[in-house]
Amino acid sequence: MFKSLTTRIIATTIVLLVGGIFIYTFFNVRQQQSQLIETARESTELLLHTVENSIYNTMHLGNVQDVSSILAMVGQHNQLVGVRIFHPHGVILRSSNPAEVGKVVGTDDYRLYLNPKHYGIFDLPPYGEVLSMVKPIYNEAACHACHGSKAKVIGILNVDYSLYRTKMQMLEASRIFIASSVAITFFLSVTISLILFKFVKKPLDSMTANMSRVENGDLSVRIDYRGTDEIGKLVDSFNSMVDRLDVAKKELEQYHFQQLERADRLASIGEMAAGIAHEIKNPLAGISAAVSIIKDDLDADDPRSGILKEVLQQVQRLDKTVNDLLFFGKPSVPELACIDIGDVIEKTLKFASQHRGVMHIERKLEFAPNLPTVYADGKQMQQVFLNLILNAFQAMSDGGTLTISTGLTTRQGRDHVRIDVADTGPGIPSQIQEKIFTPFFTTKAQGTGLGLPICYKLINLHNGFFTVSNNTPRGTVFTIELPACSVHDIDESRSEHEA
């Protein structure tokens, strides 16, 4: 349920709203309670002053007995629990309740006399909470005739004001405020939920549904949203994205169709080339044999012998081209086994070094120690390295250094043996490096353009990687990465050998 963004926003908004209103309500109710208590205190203080003035007037006239009548009359008020005058020692002298006269005043009331505030709220059974207030009656000059002049305070006027009605008002005000807060919270929650559902959830659900259709390949979907807010911008971006995907899909389909047509044509050309190669190979063998016989019949100093030798070289070049074409069209399946690639490189380099014109080229072998064997066809790897080494020799016709180094690397979670064949020749321009693996692309006058494509194809058949880069400071580096031999490869090779 809470995985939905809209639900989380609504829930968070309601929680914050409820929390904010609860805090506001709490402090507002407390404030109202304080105001009502303050109003009750002011009313009690006003009543206390009124009673005090009445008593002063009565005492000045000498009507001492009227004091009890005044207290009894005031005490009839329904919110007054008691009105009394007690001695500074705590004995009740006058009271609205005659039964209290002569008794000791309550502890809470007497403490108020000792407290500078002279008022407080106490729990007085059975009346509940009361606001009690005291006011000392000081011994003025007019009172000396009856009370003498020694005592500074001749009595303490005490009023107990019931807070029951105040509490009821506070409770009613709290109920009204809480009910209004709940109603406001409910109204705002519903309103916010409807707004979010209409302007957020509904467009997002529509976008999600349309995105699912796009994932299934339907690029004709569009979302109609007239707003200019953030959702509207998101919808516009979605429609723009689908438009571009639709255009890209059409271009890709057209390109794919063109590639299929090109591949079909290339396949037809390949089949035709293979057929032509077969047709050429046998006549070439016959021509080569016939020219060899004629050459053997001529004397060594015969000028025609040199011409026939050149004819034989050209026939051999054509035969190599035909063989390369046949191999590229249908390479033999590699006979995979766990082999030491270092031995293959050493044997190939030794064989290639017999080529004329390599005496002025320095050859270096930098093999990493403890390299694992590789899972490959030794003969085909020899063909690959022979082609790369001869190419390097031809690139360094004026001398240079050929360096073949090995190392261990990791690709796709499996160990691979890396072989770098680096020369210090003129190098391959970066603009044509991507074309050297294209069939029939060559920069040599006598080249067929099939050597490197065949090497690339053989490395792919071994699930390896073949790349080219510029050497530093000059020259070219061909990098081959072959998968290291694993236990699974050894078992598979043993099973094939036994079969």
Side-chain angles (χ1 to χ4, degrees):
M1 176 180 178
F2 286 96
K3 292 182 179 180
S4 171
L5 174 63
T6 308
T7 305
R8 291 201 299 268
I9 292 175
I10 292 174
T12 304
T13 304
I14 291 176
V15 169
L16 294 176
L17 189 63
V18 170
I21 292 179
F22 172 78
I23 294 173
Y24 173 74
T25 302
F26 175 77
F27 285 105
N28 192 275
V29 169
R30 290 287 299 270
Q31 181 67 21
Q32 285 191 353
Q33 290 177 349
S34 300
Q35 290 179 355
L36 289 173
I37 293 296
E38 182 64 20
T39 301
R41 189 192 67 79
E42 291 175 355
S43 300
T44 304
E45 188 174 9
L46 179 62
L47 179 62
L48 198 63
H49 280 292
T50 303
V51 173
E52 181 185 19
N53 292 333
S54 299
I55 291 174
Y56 266 117
N57 293 333
T58 301
M59 295 291 289
H60 289 167
L61 295 175
N63 301 325
V64 179
Q65 298 300 327
D66 291 343
V67 174
S68 298
S69 300
I70 292 172
L71 296 180
M73 180 182 65
V74 174
Q76 292 177 359
H77 194 280
N78 57 1
Q79 288 186 258
L80 290 178
V81 175
V83 182
R84 63 186 66 85
I85 299 174
F86 60 87
H87 194 272
H89 293 160
V91 179
I92 297 176
L93 302 177
R94 299 283 189 276
S95 175
S96 59
N97 183 8
E100 290 183 343
V101 178
K103 295 182 179 181
V104 179
V105 72
T107 306
D108 293 331
D109 292 324
Y110 189 73
R111 285 177 180 172
L112 286 179
Y113 164 61
L114 304 176
N115 193 324
K117 288 179 64 174
H118 294 327
Y119 73 91
I121 298 175
F122 308 111
D123 190 12
L124 182 63
Y127 304 105
E129 286 189 347
V130 296
L131 173 64
S132 181
M133 184 175 288
V134 297
K135 183 172 181 59
I137 301 174
Y138 293 100
N139 189 8
E140 297 181 357
C143 302
H144 290 174
C146 299
H147 298 281
S149 59
K150 293 183 178 181
K152 183 178 179 181
V153 178
I154 59 177
I156 296 94
L157 179 61
N158 175 222
V159 175
D160 290 337
Y161 186 88
S162 175
L163 294 177
Y164 177 77
R165 181 178 295 179
T166 302
K167 289 293 182 181
M168 289 298 102
Q169 292 176 352
M170 291 165 54
L171 183 61
E172 184 66 21
S174 300
R175 287 176 180 173
I176 294 173
F177 197 83
I178 291 173
S180 61
S181 300
V182 171
I184 292 173
T185 303
F186 177 77
F187 173 75
L188 291 177
S189 300
V190 173
T191 304
I192 293 173
S193 300
L194 291 176
I195 292 174
L196 287 175
F197 272 107
K198 179 176 178 58
F199 296 104
V200 178
K201 189 175 187 305
K202 187 176 179 181
L204 288 179
D205 288 343
S206 175
M207 186 175 298
T208 303
N210 285 300
M211 288 182 70
S212 299
R213 292 175 59 186
V214 171
E215 289 178 357
N216 293 329
D218 185 5
L219 297 179
S220 63
V221 297
R222 298 295 184 274
I223 302 176
D224 185 15
Y225 187 83
R226 302 182 184 279
T228 58
D229 52 8
E230 288 79 1
I231 298 294
K233 294 179 181 178
L234 183 62
V235 169
D236 291 339
S237 299
F238 173 80
N239 291 335
S240 177
M241 178 192 70
V242 175
D243 288 337
R244 294 183 180 181
L245 284 175
D246 193 20
V247 173
K249 181 183 177 183
K250 292 178 180 177
E251 292 178 352
L252 186 61
E253 288 176 349
Q254 184 178 2
Y255 178 75
H256 183 63
F257 179 73
Q258 293 174 354
Q259 290 294 101
L260 288 177
E261 287 185 336
R262 183 171 178 270
D264 186 60
R265 289 196 300 269
L266 288 176
S268 301
I269 293 173
E271 292 178 359
M272 182 178 65
I276 293 174
H278 276 290
E279 294 297 327
I280 293 175
K281 190 172 180 61
N282 292 332
L284 278 179
I287 293 172
S288 178
V291 172
S292 297
I293 294 173
I294 296 172
K295 181 178 176 296
D296 292 339
D297 291 338
L298 298 175
D299 296 332
D301 55 351
D302 192 327
R304 293 174 294 177
S305 178
I307 297 174
L308 293 177
K309 184 179 179 181
E310 181 66 25
V311 170
L312 284 174
Q313 289 179 354
Q314 294 299 323
V315 169
Q316 290 174 359
R317 190 176 71 83
L318 287 175
D319 185 64
K320 182 181 181 301
T321 302
V322 170
N323 288 331
D324 288 345
L325 187 60
L326 288 173
F327 185 85
F328 183 77
K330 189 177 181 180
S332 59
V333 178
E335 298 178 2
L336 300 176
C338 294
I339 62 173
D340 186 349
I341 199 65
D343 290 342
V344 174
I345 294 173
E346 288 179 351
K347 292 177 182 179
T348 306
L349 181 60
K350 185 177 181 180
F351 176 75
S353 297
Q354 306 302 318
H355 193 273
R356 66 179 182 274
V358 300
M359 299 302 294
H360 56 290
I361 295 177
E362 183 181 0
R363 285 145 284 180
K364 293 182 179 179
L365 294 179
E366 299 176 354
F367 292 166
N370 303 321
L371 275 180
T373 57
V374 297
Y375 195 54
D377 185 328
K379 294 180 179 179
Q380 292 186 356
M381 287 300 101
Q382 189 173 6
Q383 180 181 352
V384 170
F385 290 117
L386 180 61
N387 192 297
L388 294 179
I389 292 171
L390 292 178
N391 284 348
F393 287 162
Q394 293 172 7
M396 297 184 291
S397 58
D398 296 331
T401 302
L402 172 67
T403 305
I404 303 178
S405 58
T406 61
L408 189 64
T409 185
T410 302
R411 268 186 180 266
Q412 300 174 353
R414 181 175 179 177
D415 289 340
H416 283 65
V417 175
R418 172 176 175 149
I419 306 101
D420 291 327
V421 181
D423 62 62
T424 57
I428 301 175
S430 57
Q431 61 268 23
I432 66 172
Q433 281 187 3
E434 297 179 356
K435 301 178 181 179
I436 62 175
F437 298 120
T438 304
F440 307 110
F441 177 82
T442 181
T443 58
K444 301 176 183 178
Q446 301 295 326
T448 63
L450 289 173
L452 288 177
I454 289 175
C455 293
Y456 189 83
K457 202 164 192 177
L458 289 175
I459 297 300
N460 282 338
L461 289 175
H462 286 76
N463 296 321
F465 302 90
F466 193 15
T467 56
V468 61
S469 60
N470 290 324
N471 198 4
T472 303
R474 61 191 300 267
T476 307
V477 179
F478 286 92
T479 301
I480 297 174
E481 296 180 23
L482 297 172
C485 204
S486 63
V487 176
H488 173 73
D489 297 331
I490 295 173
D491 293 340
E492 183 178 347
S493 179
R494 184 182 295 114
S495 300
E496 292 178 356
H497 179 71
E498 291 175 355

